Structures are given as C-alpha cells and as structure tokens.
Amino acid sequence: MDRTNDDKIDLFEGFDRLGISLEDLWLDAYALGGDLSLLETEAYVFGLLRDAHEHNVLAQALNERFMDQDLDHLVRYMTLAPS
C-alpha cells in the first residue's frame, strides 16, 4: 500500500516503533551520507533541530529498517526548499 506523505509518521514515531538504539540509527544514517553527531541525531529525532537534508537522511535510514521488515516506507520525508 502506497501512503501519501500526509499519512506517514514523524521521525520520533518511526524510531519508537522500530525500537532500535540511537546509536544504530546514527550508524545507519552515517552509512547513507549523514553528517550528524550522535547528539544531533537525538535532537532531530525529538524534533529539536530541523534541516530537510539531514531529516531526510534519518527518514531514509528508518524507512530502510521498515523495508527490511517487509513494511511500507512509514516515515515522512521533508520537502526541500527550492534554491
């Protein structure tokens, strides 16, 4: 089932549903080209920092975990502002 972006969940809910450690999320995001520290990763998950690119790297890392469990892409991506 394809979901619209409005039907998807935020970073915190995706992180919570998966039950992975913050370190695992940080490593997954780093492997995808993320450039956040562990502390910054935590701040993004809890909604304290917002940058579309880094948000989307974290969302992709979580969505890949969901796909590994044969689930849909659940985590919402953030729209990048035109330059």
Side-chain angles (χ1 to χ4, degrees), residues 8 12 15-16 21 23 41 44 47 53-54 58-59 62 65 68 72 75 83:
K8 296 189 179 194
F12 177 78
F15 175 74
D16 188 52
S21 71
E23 291 82 1
T41 299
Y44 272 89
H53 172 73
E54 294 297 344
L58 292 169
L62 291 169
R65 290 272 183 156
D68 288 345
D72 196 7
V75 180
S83 30

Side-chain angles (χ1 to χ4, degrees), residues 42-67:
E42 182 177 29
Y44 272 89
V45 168
F46 286 96
L48 302 174
L49 292 176
R50 292 179 56 89
D51 169 77
H53 172 73
E54 294 297 344
H55 172 99
N56 290 343
V57 171
L58 292 169
Q60 182 64 33
L62 291 169
N63 284 330
E64 287 189 9
R65 290 272 183 156
F66 280 113
M67 288 187 303

